[in-house]
Amino acid sequence: MLRRPHYFAVALVVLLTLLVLSLPASITARLKLAIGSLFLPLFGLTSGAQQASTKATDTLVPRGELARQNEVLRRENQQLRVQAIQSDELLRENNRLRQALGWEAQSPWKGRLKLAKVVSRDPANWWRTVQIDRGTKDGIKEDCAVLTPEGLVGKIYSVSLTRSQVVLVGDPSCKVAALVENDVRDGGVVGPGGPFDGSFATMKHLSRNANLKPGQNVVTSGLGGVFPKGIAIGKIADVHPSESSLTTDAQIKLNARLDALEEVWVLIKQ
Amino acid sequence: MSALHHTLIFAAAFLAVFCQSAFGGLRHLLGAQIDLLPALMVYAALNAGLVTVMSFALFAGLLFDSLSANPLGTTVMPLLIIGVMIQFRRDLILRDQIFAQVLIGLLASAIAPVLSVLMLLSGRHEPLIGWGSLWQWIVMAVGGAVATPVLFFLFGWFNRTFGYRPVIETSFRDDREIRRGRN
C-alpha cells in the first residue's frame, strides 16, 4: 500500500509531466533535441561500426570485380554528362520562355542537395519519422524537401545543430500537394496511408470524375509551397470513391523505399 | 536494492530506447517495433521503491519521446500509471514465478501503447491508426510478455555476478578467543 507522502510524490510527477506537455512547441523541440543528444555517442558508434564493416567487405572484393564496376560507372557517368548537357540547354530555354511570359525563373537544384545518412527511426509505431545526421550547420532548415533518386521521402520537421528529424510521406504530419500524370493532370493531396505498410500512402481530394488508372505516375505539384514541382512520389495502385462519395481517393505505391532508407538527399532552401 | 541495481535499470532503459530506434529488424519482420520500456517498468516496480519507479518513468519516457515524434512527456504518464499500479499491489504478486512475470508483462505492454495513443488523441494529435494497428498492438503486447521474464533473468544474473555477496557470519570472534600459554 502507498503512504500519504507517496501520493504527494506521484501527484508531483504527474504535475511535472503535464507541465512539460503544455510547454510551447519551440521549447519542447529544443528540449527533445537536447535529451536526444544523449544518444549521439551510441549513434556515432553504430555508424563507425557500419563503416568499418563496409571497409572490411570492400577489401575482400576481387580486383577484377572492382575494375568491372569502375568501367560500368565510367560509362554511366559519360551518359549522364551527355544528358546533363541536354538538360542544361532545356533549362536555359525554359528560363528564356519564362522570362518572355513574365514568370518567375525556376531555381536549379545544382549545389543545393546535401547527402545525409539515416541514423534512427521513430521508436513509436504510430509515427513515420527518421533522424538524419545533418543539421543547421549544413544549411538545413525546417520544411526542406527530402528525397532519394527514386522519389520523394518527406520533409524536415525539426532541426538541431547536427541532426534533423524527417517526417516521411504517409505520416499524418506530411501532406503533399500532388498531381497525377494523366491527360487532365488531376490534382490532390497525398496524406497518411495505413499504419502497417509504410510503402503506401493515400491521395485524397481527387475529382470524382478523375481519369485515374493503376500505374499512373504521381508527382509533386509545387502548389503547397514546401515541395518543388515534379518530384516523383509514386504510382497509383488502387482507386476508390471517398467516404462522402463527392471525391475520389487513390492508394499510392510510393517510389522511395521508406522502410529501408539508409541515405537521403536534402534539398536546401534558397 | 543496490546502487548498481538502480544504475542497471536506467542503463537498460537507455539501451532499450536506442535499440528500438536504431535497429529495425523486428519492425521489418513483424510490422511493428516491440517496446521494452513497459517490461522494464514491471521489473523496476516489482524490485525497487516508488522513487525509482517515478524517476524511471520520467527518465525512460523523456528518452523515448526525444527520439520520437510524440510530444515530450507523452510516454511518461503510461509508464508511471503502470509502475504505480504494480507498486500498489506488489505484495500480492508472485514476482519469482515466470507465469506471473509473463502475465504482468503482457498486461503492461498492452496497456502502455493504448494509454499513449489516448494521450495523443486527447492532445488533438493525429497518430497513424487503423486496422493494422491491431496487429501492431498484439505484437507489442506479446513481445513485452516474452521480454519480461528474460529481463528478470538477465537482471538476476547481473546482480549475482556483479553485486556484493552477503557476508557469511560465523560464531568466531577474535576478542573472545581463549588463548592458552603466556603470550
Side-chain angles (χ1 to χ4, degrees):
Chain A
M1 287 293 284
L2 301 179
R3 293 194 301 273
R4 184 179 277 188
H6 290 157
Y7 285 113
F8 281 126
V10 172
L12 195 73
V13 174
V14 171
L15 273 175
L16 189 71
T17 311
L18 291 175
L19 187 77
V20 172
L21 278 167
S22 60
L23 284 172
S26 58
I27 296 175
T28 50
R30 280 183 201 168
L31 271 174
K32 274 177 116 169
L33 292 166
I35 298 167
S37 63
L38 290 173
F39 291 100
L40 281 181
L42 285 180
F43 286 130
L45 203 69
T46 317
S47 170
Q50 277 174 351
Q51 279 176 1
S53 68
T54 312
K55 270 185 187 173
T57 319
D58 287 349
T59 53
L60 295 174
V61 179
R63 194 180 162 79
E65 174 63 19
L66 286 173
R68 192 190 63 78
Q69 284 181 7
N70 195 16
E71 183 60 28
V72 170
L73 289 171
R74 208 157 55 83
R75 276 184 203 160
E76 200 176 295
N77 191 20
Q78 279 172 355
Q79 263 183 354
L80 289 171
R81 275 186 180 180
V82 173
Q83 283 175 15
I85 293 167
Q86 192 191 12
S87 57
D88 279 350
E89 180 50 38
L90 287 172
L91 185 72
R92 276 194 290 275
E93 186 186 60
N94 185 283
N95 281 341
R96 274 199 304 275
L97 290 169
R98 277 176 170 271
Q99 216 168 12
L101 287 167
W103 291 3
E104 197 184 334
Q106 276 189 322
S107 55
W109 289 7
K110 206 173 178 181
R112 287 169 55 202
L113 287 167
K114 287 267 181 196
L115 185 66
K117 275 190 180 169
V118 175
V119 290
S120 73
R121 299 186 77 86
D122 201 312
N125 288 311
W126 42 83
W127 303 117
R128 281 190 201 160
T129 66
V130 294
Q131 298 221 356
I132 55 171
D133 63 347
R134 299 273 186 175
T136 47
K137 75 177 175 67
D138 304 293
I140 291 174
K141 292 174 188 164
E142 280 178 19
D143 287 341
C144 284
V146 181
L147 48 142
T148 61
E150 288 79 36
L152 187 70
V153 166
K155 65 174 181 178
I156 300 288
Y157 187 67
S158 61
V159 202
S160 73
L161 190 68
T162 55
R163 282 184 311 136
S164 305
Q165 191 173 38
V166 180
V167 58
L168 305 179
V169 179
D171 186 275
S173 309
C174 185
K175 292 188 172 108
V176 188
L179 52 87
V180 182
E181 286 189 329
N182 57 9
D183 299 338
V184 195
R185 315 278 285 179
D186 288 300
V189 178
V190 175
F196 194 60
D197 195 349
S199 58
F200 285 93
T202 311
M203 189 169 180
K204 287 183 179 280
H205 309 301
L206 285 155
S207 162
R208 194 170 57 170
N209 304 319
N211 182 23
L212 304 172
K213 285 173 192 160
Q216 285 174 333
N217 287 323
V218 177
V219 296
T220 55
S221 66
L223 291 177
V226 175
F227 302 100
K229 192 177 177 181
I231 303 174
I233 299 173
K235 284 184 169 57
I236 291 180
D238 185 30
V239 181
H240 51 87
S242 66
E243 284 175 16
S244 63
S245 302
L246 296 172
T247 55
T248 306
D249 291 352
Q251 196 82 354
I252 311 291
K253 172 91 174 106
L254 300 172
N255 280 355
R257 288 192 58 205
L258 302 185
D259 54 347
L261 286 175
E262 286 183 6
E263 285 180 338
V264 291
W265 292 93
V266 184
L267 184 62
I268 308 290
K269 279 185 177 178
Q270 276 188 323
Chain B
M1 206 182 188
S2 65
L4 176 78
H5 204 169
H6 285 282
T7 315
L8 270 179
I9 293 174
F10 285 85
F14 184 75
L15 281 177
V17 173
F18 168 73
C19 291
Q20 281 167 226
S21 182
F23 306 112
L26 278 175
R27 200 195 294 259
H28 291 307
L29 201 70
L30 302 169
Q33 183 63 278
I34 291 169
D35 187 4
L36 293 174
L37 295 182
L40 277 166
M41 178 51 97
V42 170
Y43 180 81
L46 287 177
N47 290 284
L50 191 67
V51 176
T52 308
V53 167
M54 287 188 302
S55 42
F56 178 84
L58 263 176
F59 176 78
L62 291 177
L63 281 180
F64 187 92
D65 293 339
S66 73
L67 293 184
S68 166
N70 283 345
L72 198 66
T74 307
T75 315
V76 176
M77 208 70 96
L79 287 176
L80 187 71
I81 291 169
I82 289 164
V84 171
M85 275 167 63
I86 295 171
Q87 273 272 321
F88 200 67
R89 295 281 175 208
R90 77 178 200 164
D91 295 339
L92 304 173
I93 297 169
L94 300 169
R95 71 189 77 172
D96 294 329
Q97 299 289 316
I98 289 179
F99 177 73
Q101 292 166 5
V102 169
L103 196 68
I104 297 169
L106 181 82
L107 285 172
S109 304
I111 291 168
V114 174
L115 289 176
S116 294
V117 169
L118 282 176
M119 283 207 59
L120 288 169
L121 292 174
S122 63
R124 293 183 183 176
H125 296 281
E126 290 178 51
L128 205 56
I129 305 172
W131 285 108
S133 305
L134 202 64
W135 168 252
Q136 292 180 331
W137 183 62
I138 291 167
V139 169
M140 289 171 87
V142 173
V146 173
T148 309
V150 175
L151 287 173
F152 270 77
F153 172 78
L154 285 175
F155 277 114
W157 179 80
F158 262 105
N159 276 328
R160 284 193 300 277
T161 312
F162 298 108
Y164 288 112
R165 289 174 191 282
V167 179
I168 301 161
E169 289 184 16
T170 66
S171 57
F172 174 75
R173 286 176 63 180
D174 53 359
D175 57 331
R176 293 282 177 91
E177 189 181 11
I178 301 167
R179 293 176 191 277
R180 296 184 188 279
R182 290 193 173 177
N183 52 350

PDB file of all heavy atoms in Angstrom, chain A residues 106-127:
ATOM      1  N   GLN A 106      12.760  29.258 -62.544  1.00  0.00           N
ATOM      2  CA  GLN A 106      12.929  28.125 -61.626  1.00  0.00           C
ATOM      3  C   GLN A 106      14.386  28.076 -61.162  1.00  0.00           C
ATOM      4  O   GLN A 106      15.303  28.213 -61.978  1.00  0.00           O
ATOM      5  CB  GLN A 106      12.601  26.824 -62.345  1.00  0.00           C
ATOM      6  CG  GLN A 106      11.113  26.526 -62.355  1.00  0.00           C
ATOM      7  CD  GLN A 106      10.860  25.142 -62.873  1.00  0.00           C
ATOM      8  OE1 GLN A 106      11.537  24.697 -63.791  1.00  0.00           O
ATOM      9  NE2 GLN A 106       9.892  24.464 -62.305  1.00  0.00           N
ATOM     10  N   SER A 107      14.573  27.891 -59.871  1.00  0.00           N
ATOM     11  CA  SER A 107      15.959  27.824 -59.387  1.00  0.00           C
ATOM     12  C   SER A 107      16.484  26.399 -59.540  1.00  0.00           C
ATOM     13  O   SER A 107      15.798  25.444 -59.187  1.00  0.00           O
ATOM     14  CB  SER A 107      16.015  28.240 -57.929  1.00  0.00           C
ATOM     15  OG  SER A 107      15.132  27.445 -57.181  1.00  0.00           O
ATOM     16  N   PRO A 108      17.685  26.249 -60.096  1.00  0.00           N
ATOM     17  CA  PRO A 108      18.215  24.891 -60.285  1.00  0.00           C
ATOM     18  C   PRO A 108      18.608  24.251 -58.953  1.00  0.00           C
ATOM     19  O   PRO A 108      18.927  24.953 -58.003  1.00  0.00           O
ATOM     20  CB  PRO A 108      19.454  25.142 -61.163  1.00  0.00           C
ATOM     21  CG  PRO A 108      19.832  26.553 -60.919  1.00  0.00           C
ATOM     22  CD  PRO A 108      18.599  27.288 -60.547  1.00  0.00           C
ATOM     23  N   TRP A 109      18.568  22.893 -58.911  1.00  0.00           N
ATOM     24  CA  TRP A 109      18.889  22.164 -57.687  1.00  0.00           C
ATOM     25  C   TRP A 109      20.394  22.013 -57.497  1.00  0.00           C
ATOM     26  O   TRP A 109      20.839  21.657 -56.430  1.00  0.00           O
ATOM     27  CB  TRP A 109      18.276  20.779 -57.738  1.00  0.00           C
ATOM     28  CG  TRP A 109      16.798  20.766 -57.608  1.00  0.00           C
ATOM     29  CD1 TRP A 109      15.966  21.841 -57.580  1.00  0.00           C
ATOM     30  CD2 TRP A 109      15.980  19.614 -57.483  1.00  0.00           C
ATOM     31  NE1 TRP A 109      14.679  21.435 -57.455  1.00  0.00           N
ATOM     32  CE2 TRP A 109      14.651  20.069 -57.391  1.00  0.00           C
ATOM     33  CE3 TRP A 109      16.229  18.256 -57.451  1.00  0.00           C
ATOM     34  CZ2 TRP A 109      13.584  19.196 -57.263  1.00  0.00           C
ATOM     35  CZ3 TRP A 109      15.178  17.380 -57.317  1.00  0.00           C
ATOM     36  CH2 TRP A 109      13.861  17.855 -57.233  1.00  0.00           C
ATOM     37  N   LYS A 110      21.128  22.285 -58.572  1.00  0.00           N
ATOM     38  CA  LYS A 110      22.575  22.040 -58.555  1.00  0.00           C
ATOM     39  C   LYS A 110      23.229  22.778 -57.381  1.00  0.00           C
ATOM     40  O   LYS A 110      23.041  23.981 -57.219  1.00  0.00           O
ATOM     41  CB  LYS A 110      23.173  22.529 -59.875  1.00  0.00           C
ATOM     42  CG  LYS A 110      24.448  21.824 -60.254  1.00  0.00           C
ATOM     43  CD  LYS A 110      24.873  22.247 -61.638  1.00  0.00           C
ATOM     44  CE  LYS A 110      26.170  21.596 -62.030  1.00  0.00           C
ATOM     45  NZ  LYS A 110      26.594  22.008 -63.349  1.00  0.00           N
ATOM     46  N   GLY A 111      23.967  22.046 -56.573  1.00  0.00           N
ATOM     47  CA  GLY A 111      24.662  22.649 -55.437  1.00  0.00           C
ATOM     48  C   GLY A 111      23.781  22.845 -54.213  1.00  0.00           C
ATOM     49  O   GLY A 111      24.250  23.310 -53.189  1.00  0.00           O
ATOM     50  N   ARG A 112      22.497  22.491 -54.340  1.00  0.00           N
ATOM     51  CA  ARG A 112      21.602  22.668 -53.192  1.00  0.00           C
ATOM     52  C   ARG A 112      21.242  21.338 -52.539  1.00  0.00           C
ATOM     53  O   ARG A 112      20.449  21.298 -51.594  1.00  0.00           O
ATOM     54  CB  ARG A 112      20.309  23.363 -53.648  1.00  0.00           C
ATOM     55  CG  ARG A 112      20.497  24.845 -53.962  1.00  0.00           C
ATOM     56  CD  ARG A 112      19.282  25.406 -54.647  1.00  0.00           C
ATOM     57  NE  ARG A 112      18.067  25.182 -53.882  1.00  0.00           N
ATOM     58  CZ  ARG A 112      16.852  25.172 -54.392  1.00  0.00           C
ATOM     59  NH1 ARG A 112      16.684  25.377 -55.680  1.00  0.00           N
ATOM     60  NH2 ARG A 112      15.797  24.949 -53.647  1.00  0.00           N
ATOM     61  N   LEU A 113      21.781  20.250 -53.045  1.00  0.00           N
ATOM     62  CA  LEU A 113      21.451  18.938 -52.481  1.00  0.00           C
ATOM     63  C   LEU A 113      22.530  18.487 -51.498  1.00  0.00           C
ATOM     64  O   LEU A 113      23.720  18.568 -51.802  1.00  0.00           O
ATOM     65  CB  LEU A 113      21.310  17.902 -53.594  1.00  0.00           C
ATOM     66  CG  LEU A 113      20.058  18.004 -54.449  1.00  0.00           C
ATOM     67  CD1 LEU A 113      20.187  17.148 -55.692  1.00  0.00           C
ATOM     68  CD2 LEU A 113      18.826  17.573 -53.667  1.00  0.00           C
ATOM     69  N   LYS A 114      22.121  18.057 -50.311  1.00  0.00           N
ATOM     70  CA  LYS A 114      23.059  17.574 -49.293  1.00  0.00           C
ATOM     71  C   LYS A 114      22.751  16.108 -49.003  1.00  0.00           C
ATOM     72  O   LYS A 114      21.592  15.761 -48.727  1.00  0.00           O
ATOM     73  CB  LYS A 114      22.891  18.363 -47.987  1.00  0.00           C
ATOM     74  CG  LYS A 114      23.428  19.771 -48.045  1.00  0.00           C
ATOM     75  CD  LYS A 114      24.849  19.823 -47.549  1.00  0.00           C
ATOM     76  CE  LYS A 114      25.341  21.260 -47.613  1.00  0.00           C
ATOM     77  NZ  LYS A 114      26.773  21.340 -47.511  1.00  0.00           N
ATOM     78  N   LEU A 115      23.773  15.282 -49.070  1.00  0.00           N
ATOM     79  CA  LEU A 115      23.577  13.865 -48.757  1.00  0.00           C
ATOM     80  C   LEU A 115      23.581  13.680 -47.241  1.00  0.00           C
ATOM     81  O   LEU A 115      24.424  14.257 -46.546  1.00  0.00           O
ATOM     82  CB  LEU A 115      24.702  13.040 -49.386  1.00  0.00           C
ATOM     83  CG  LEU A 115      24.571  11.531 -49.257  1.00  0.00           C
ATOM     84  CD1 LEU A 115      23.376  11.008 -50.027  1.00  0.00           C
ATOM     85  CD2 LEU A 115      25.836  10.832 -49.744  1.00  0.00           C
ATOM     86  N   ALA A 116      22.641  12.903 -46.736  1.00  0.00           N
ATOM     87  CA  ALA A 116      22.567  12.668 -45.289  1.00  0.00           C
ATOM     88  C   ALA A 116      22.330  11.192 -45.026  1.00  0.00           C
ATOM     89  O   ALA A 116      21.710  10.499 -45.832  1.00  0.00           O
ATOM     90  CB  ALA A 116      21.434  13.488 -44.690  1.00  0.00           C
ATOM     91  N   LYS A 117      22.844  10.728 -43.893  1.00  0.00           N
ATOM     92  CA  LYS A 117      22.638   9.329 -43.501  1.00  0.00           C
ATOM     93  C   LYS A 117      21.505   9.243 -42.500  1.00  0.00           C
ATOM     94  O   LYS A 117      21.402  10.080 -41.607  1.00  0.00           O
ATOM     95  CB  LYS A 117      23.907   8.776 -42.852  1.00  0.00           C
ATOM     96  CG  LYS A 117      24.900   8.265 -43.849  1.00  0.00           C
ATOM     97  CD  LYS A 117      26.004   7.535 -43.171  1.00  0.00           C
ATOM     98  CE  LYS A 117      26.967   7.039 -44.232  1.00  0.00           C
ATOM     99  NZ  LYS A 117      28.186   6.551 -43.681  1.00  0.00           N
ATOM    100  N   VAL A 118      20.677   8.206 -42.657  1.00  0.00           N
ATOM    101  CA  VAL A 118      19.598   7.979 -41.697  1.00  0.00           C
ATOM    102  C   VAL A 118      20.199   7.293 -40.482  1.00  0.00           C
ATOM    103  O   VAL A 118      20.805   6.223 -40.611  1.00  0.00           O
ATOM    104  CB  VAL A 118      18.483   7.111 -42.326  1.00  0.00           C
ATOM    105  CG1 VAL A 118      17.426   6.759 -41.304  1.00  0.00           C
ATOM    106  CG2 VAL A 118      17.856   7.839 -43.500  1.00  0.00           C
ATOM    107  N   VAL A 119      20.071   7.918 -39.315  1.00  0.00           N
ATOM    108  CA  VAL A 119      20.700   7.332 -38.119  1.00  0.00           C
ATOM    109  C   VAL A 119      19.699   6.585 -37.236  1.00  0.00           C
ATOM    110  O   VAL A 119      20.079   5.654 -36.525  1.00  0.00           O
ATOM    111  CB  VAL A 119      21.458   8.387 -37.275  1.00  0.00           C
ATOM    112  CG1 VAL A 119      22.695   8.854 -37.974  1.00  0.00           C
ATOM    113  CG2 VAL A 119      20.583   9.571 -36.917  1.00  0.00           C
ATOM    114  N   SER A 120      18.447   6.992 -37.252  1.00  0.00           N
ATOM    115  CA  SER A 120      17.470   6.268 -36.416  1.00  0.00           C
ATOM    116  C   SER A 120      16.061   6.450 -36.959  1.00  0.00           C
ATOM    117  O   SER A 120      15.797   7.347 -37.747  1.00  0.00           O
ATOM    118  CB  SER A 120      17.528   6.776 -34.975  1.00  0.00           C
ATOM    119  OG  SER A 120      16.945   8.054 -34.884  1.00  0.00           O
ATOM    120  N   ARG A 121      15.201   5.569 -36.506  1.00  0.00           N
ATOM    121  CA  ARG A 121      13.779   5.638 -36.879  1.00  0.00           C
ATOM    122  C   ARG A 121      12.955   5.915 -35.639  1.00  0.00           C
ATOM    123  O   ARG A 121      13.427   5.718 -34.507  1.00  0.00           O
ATOM    124  CB  ARG A 121      13.320   4.301 -37.491  1.00  0.00           C
ATOM    125  CG  ARG A 121      14.048   3.930 -38.745  1.00  0.00           C
ATOM    126  CD  ARG A 121      13.436   2.684 -39.345  1.00  0.00           C
ATOM    127  NE  ARG A 121      12.192   3.000 -40.015  1.00  0.00           N
ATOM    128  CZ  ARG A 121      12.113   3.422 -41.281  1.00  0.00           C
ATOM    129  NH1 ARG A 121      13.202   3.567 -42.003  1.00  0.00           N
ATOM    130  NH2 ARG A 121      10.957   3.679 -41.834  1.00  0.00           N
ATOM    131  N   ASP A 122      11.721   6.342 -35.845  1.00  0.00           N
ATOM    132  CA  ASP A 122      10.843   6.617 -34.707  1.00  0.00           C
ATOM    133  C   ASP A 122      10.576   5.318 -33.943  1.00  0.00           C
ATOM    134  O   ASP A 122      10.129   4.341 -34.539  1.00  0.00           O
ATOM    135  CB  ASP A 122       9.523   7.207 -35.223  1.00  0.00           C
ATOM    136  CG  ASP A 122       8.799   7.976 -34.152  1.00  0.00           C
ATOM    137  OD1 ASP A 122       8.665   7.436 -33.040  1.00  0.00           O
ATOM    138  OD2 ASP A 122       8.392   9.113 -34.399  1.00  0.00           O
ATOM    139  N   PRO A 123      10.859   5.298 -32.618  1.00  0.00           N
ATOM    140  CA  PRO A 123      10.598   4.051 -31.878  1.00  0.00           C
ATOM    141  C   PRO A 123       9.108   3.761 -31.699  1.00  0.00           C
ATOM    142  O   PRO A 123       8.746   2.620 -31.389  1.00  0.00           O
ATOM    143  CB  PRO A 123      11.276   4.305 -30.526  1.00  0.00           C
ATOM    144  CG  PRO A 123      11.395   5.771 -30.400  1.00  0.00           C
ATOM    145  CD  PRO A 123      11.478   6.331 -31.784  1.00  0.00           C
ATOM    146  N   ALA A 124       8.250   4.762 -31.877  1.00  0.00           N
ATOM    147  CA  ALA A 124       6.804   4.527 -31.745  1.00  0.00           C
ATOM    148  C   ALA A 124       6.247   4.027 -33.068  1.00  0.00           C
ATOM    149  O   ALA A 124       6.706   4.430 -34.132  1.00  0.00           O
ATOM    150  CB  ALA A 124       6.101   5.818 -31.336  1.00  0.00           C
ATOM    151  N   ASN A 125       5.237   3.153 -32.970  1.00  0.00           N
ATOM    152  CA  ASN A 125       4.671   2.558 -34.188  1.00  0.00           C
ATOM    153  C   ASN A 125       3.662   3.461 -34.882  1.00  0.00           C
ATOM    154  O   ASN A 125       3.213   3.150 -35.975  1.00  0.00           O
ATOM    155  CB  ASN A 125       4.001   1.221 -33.844  1.00  0.00           C
ATOM    156  CG  ASN A 125       5.019   0.161 -33.535  1.00  0.00           C
ATOM    157  OD1 ASN A 125       5.974  -0.038 -34.277  1.00  0.00           O
ATOM    158  ND2 ASN A 125       4.850  -0.517 -32.405  1.00  0.00           N
ATOM    159  N   TRP A 126       3.259   4.551 -34.228  1.00  0.00           N
ATOM    160  CA  TRP A 126       2.186   5.377 -34.800  1.00  0.00           C
ATOM    161  C   TRP A 126       2.694   6.636 -35.485  1.00  0.00           C
ATOM    162  O   TRP A 126       1.914   7.520 -35.793  1.00  0.00           O
ATOM    163  CB  TRP A 126       1.136   5.718 -33.742  1.00  0.00           C
ATOM    164  CG  TRP A 126       1.718   6.077 -32.427  1.00  0.00           C
ATOM    165  CD1 TRP A 126       2.187   7.293 -32.047  1.00  0.00           C
ATOM    166  CD2 TRP A 126       1.912   5.212 -31.318  1.00  0.00           C
ATOM    167  NE1 TRP A 126       2.662   7.241 -30.775  1.00  0.00           N
ATOM    168  CE2 TRP A 126       2.500   5.972 -30.294  1.00  0.00           C
ATOM    169  CE3 TRP A 126       1.647   3.850 -31.077  1.00  0.00           C
ATOM    170  CZ2 TRP A 126       2.829   5.428 -29.061  1.00  0.00           C
ATOM    171  CZ3 TRP A 126       1.980   3.326 -29.849  1.00  0.00           C
ATOM    172  CH2 TRP A 126       2.559   4.098 -28.865  1.00  0.00           C
ATOM    173  N   TRP A 127       4.012   6.761 -35.661  1.00  0.00           N
ATOM    174  CA  TRP A 127       4.572   7.868 -36.453  1.00  0.00           C
ATOM    175  C   TRP A 127       5.515   7.294 -37.486  1.00  0.00           C
ATOM    176  O   TRP A 127       6.093   6.227 -37.290  1.00  0.00           O
ATOM    177  CB  TRP A 127       5.351   8.849 -35.571  1.00  0.00           C
ATOM    178  CG  TRP A 127       4.595   9.456 -34.426  1.00  0.00           C
ATOM    179  CD1 TRP A 127       4.880   9.292 -33.107  1.00  0.00           C
ATOM    180  CD2 TRP A 127       3.457  10.327 -34.469  1.00  0.00           C
ATOM    181  NE1 TRP A 127       3.991  10.004 -32.338  1.00  0.00           N
ATOM    182  CE2 TRP A 127       3.111  10.645 -33.143  1.00  0.00           C
ATOM    183  CE3 TRP A 127       2.702  10.861 -35.511  1.00  0.00           C
ATOM    184  CZ2 TRP A 127       2.038  11.462 -32.823  1.00  0.00           C
ATOM    185  CZ3 TRP A 127       1.637  11.686 -35.181  1.00  0.00           C
ATOM    186  CH2 TRP A 127       1.315  11.980 -33.858  1.00  0.00           C
TER     187      TRP A 127
END
